[in-house]
């Protein structure tokens, strides 16, 4: 199947040891001692996108960009959007406004210096803008970003604002918030934009959800995933809880083939272009 609507394909560029759920096992001050796997995984994703003639947005950590500048340039040179995922993958909800602002300004400066291009988009690690830190939107606008994709309008144990709008909205500051896609059914919002649910559930569920949003809501979807999700050979953290291990490792060996199908079944583009006039 194909869609006349172009959806936004987004990748959060971080390595497996930087995931919030694994933070207790990988202290930030020890990251440089952990072998990175992100470059080979992102290169595979770039090849996958190129094979389908698709473009996407790469929300990238400043920490990663400083260590792999050539990778970031390859992303930009291939016509993809380089956007910000903050500098050190700290949850916005765990930071003061001052620390948060410093983090997102630093990440923006690092990415712009490497690519020579402006950075207009930001995504908070773990979708960590919630009802208790909505002040973060003002910080994002003041730091010079045009849009954020930091709110997930679902109920989840680690993030989410279930009552938030399902589609892009504009704040008083002028910043546009682009929430990850959900499907409205049975009186609640259901995750439909990738992440762990894309690995957990059969592929046909994700395909049906995105097609439904395109057809019934007549809106583009925004899909997200991480480079480590196509890497079944990544080191296992046996000390993590059973819940964390299940969420992190389920169906890693199937993700790349599912992404290949997803890129075939729908039209995909950059978030900054897909949602340019959305709100």
């Amino acid at each position: 199947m194909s869609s006349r609507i172009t959806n936004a394909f987004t990748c959060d560029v971080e390595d497996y040891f930087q995931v919030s759920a694994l933070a207790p096992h990988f202290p930030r001050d020890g990251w440089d001692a952990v072998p990175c796997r992100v470059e080979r995984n992102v290169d595979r994703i770039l090849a996958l996108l190129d094979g389908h003639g698709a473009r996407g947005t790469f929300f990238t950590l400043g920490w990663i960009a400083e260590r792999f500048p050539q990778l970031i340039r390859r992303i930009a040179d291939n016509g993809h959007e380089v956007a910000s995922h903050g500098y050190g993958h700290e949850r916005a909800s765990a930071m003061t406004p001052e620390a948060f602002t410093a983090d997102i300004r630093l990440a923006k400066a690092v990415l712009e210096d490497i690519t020579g291009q402006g950075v207009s988009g930001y995504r908070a690690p773990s979708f960590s803008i919630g009802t208790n830190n909505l002040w973060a939107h003002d910080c994002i606008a003041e730091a010079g970003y045009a849009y954020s994709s930091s709110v997930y309008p679902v109920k989840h144990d680690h993030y989410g604002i279930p009552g938030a709008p399902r589609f892009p909205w504009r704040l008083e500051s002028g910043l546009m918030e682009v929430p990850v896609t959900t499907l409205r059914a049975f009186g609640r919002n259901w995750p439909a934009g990738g992440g762990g649910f894309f690995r957990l559930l059969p592929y046909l569920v994700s395909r049906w959800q995105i097609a439904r949003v395109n057809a019934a809501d007549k809106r583009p979807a925004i899909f997200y995933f991480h480079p480590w999700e196509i890497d079944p050979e990544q080191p296992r953290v046996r000390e993590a809880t059973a819940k964390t291990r299940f969420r992190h490792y389920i169906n890693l060996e199937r993700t790349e083939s599912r992404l290949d199908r997803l890129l075939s079944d729908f039209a995909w583009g950059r978030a900054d272009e897909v949602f340019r006039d959305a709100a």
Side-chain angles (χ1 to χ4, degrees):
M1 61 180 284
S2 62
S3 172
R4 289 177 293 178
I5 292 180
T6 299
N7 301 292
F9 189 87
T10 72
C11 180
D12 293 356
V13 182
E14 61 197 56
D15 220 324
Y16 75 96
F17 58 85
Q18 297 170 316
V19 174
S20 295
L22 296 179
H25 310 286
F26 295 101
R28 190 169 279 101
D29 60 6
W31 281 359
D32 277 314
V34 183
C36 286
R37 302 175 64 85
V38 68
E39 186 171 25
R40 74 193 77 179
N41 292 331
V42 172
D43 278 336
R44 286 163 60 189
I45 293 163
L46 290 174
L48 196 61
L49 285 163
D50 186 61
H52 289 276
R55 296 292 177 264
T57 292
F58 289 76
F59 290 99
T60 306
L61 290 181
W63 190 95
I64 292 289
E66 284 186 334
R67 286 153 181 82
F68 300 97
Q70 294 298 333
L71 174 64
I72 309 310
R73 293 190 187 101
R74 286 199 295 276
I75 293 171
D77 290 346
N78 277 282
H80 306 293
E81 179 190 11
V82 174
S84 168
H85 200 33
Y87 182 84
H89 208 261
E90 295 183 73
R91 292 175 63 92
S93 54
M95 304 171 77
T96 64
E98 294 76 19
F100 176 70
T101 298
D103 178 271
I104 63 176
R105 284 186 182 275
L106 175 58
K108 192 174 192 292
V110 168
L111 294 169
E112 290 180 340
D113 183 61
I114 290 172
T115 63
Q117 301 174 3
V119 169
S120 63
Y122 169 77
R123 174 174 286 159
S126 304
F127 302 107
S128 52
I129 295 182
T131 54
N132 293 326
N133 66 327
L134 291 174
W135 49 259
H137 278 135
D138 289 334
C139 298
I140 297 167
E142 291 168 5
Y145 293 94
Y147 78 91
S148 163
S149 181
S150 304
V151 171
Y152 208 159
V154 295
K155 185 177 181 179
H156 191 278
D157 56 347
H158 291 310
Y159 53 75
I161 306 179
R166 291 178 54 225
F167 299 108
W169 80 90
R170 187 84 56 180
L171 292 100
E172 290 184 6
S173 63
L175 182 78
M176 180 170 62
E177 175 62 41
V178 182
V180 173
T181 295
T182 57
L183 185 71
R184 186 73 179 174
F186 306 110
R188 62 175 293 182
N189 297 338
W190 299 88
F197 297 99
F198 183 69
R199 290 183 286 113
L200 174 64
L201 302 174
Y203 170 72
L204 291 180
V205 174
S206 291
R207 189 179 74 171
W208 176 80
Q209 288 178 318
I210 293 172
R212 180 70 178 170
V213 169
N214 288 167
D217 295 306
K218 294 181 172 51
R219 296 280 197 139
I222 180 167
F223 176 89
Y224 85 100
F225 72 108
H226 308 85
W228 55 262
E229 292 186 273
I230 67 165
D231 186 8
E233 287 82 37
Q234 66 186 268
R236 287 332 197 232
V237 182
R238 308 296 180 187
E239 302 80 10
T241 66
K243 184 178 183 180
T244 293
R245 294 198 308 272
F246 175 79
R247 285 179 167 177
H248 190 88
Y249 301 121
I250 185 71
N251 288 333
L252 291 178
E253 69 282 358
R254 299 181 179 180
T255 308
E256 190 166 5
S257 62
R258 289 183 179 184
L259 289 173
D260 189 43
R261 294 179 67 184
L262 189 74
L263 288 165
S264 293
D265 287 340
F266 299 93
W268 297 97
R270 300 161 40 134
D272 61 340
E273 296 176 349
V274 170
F275 298 107
R276 178 176 290 134
D277 303 313

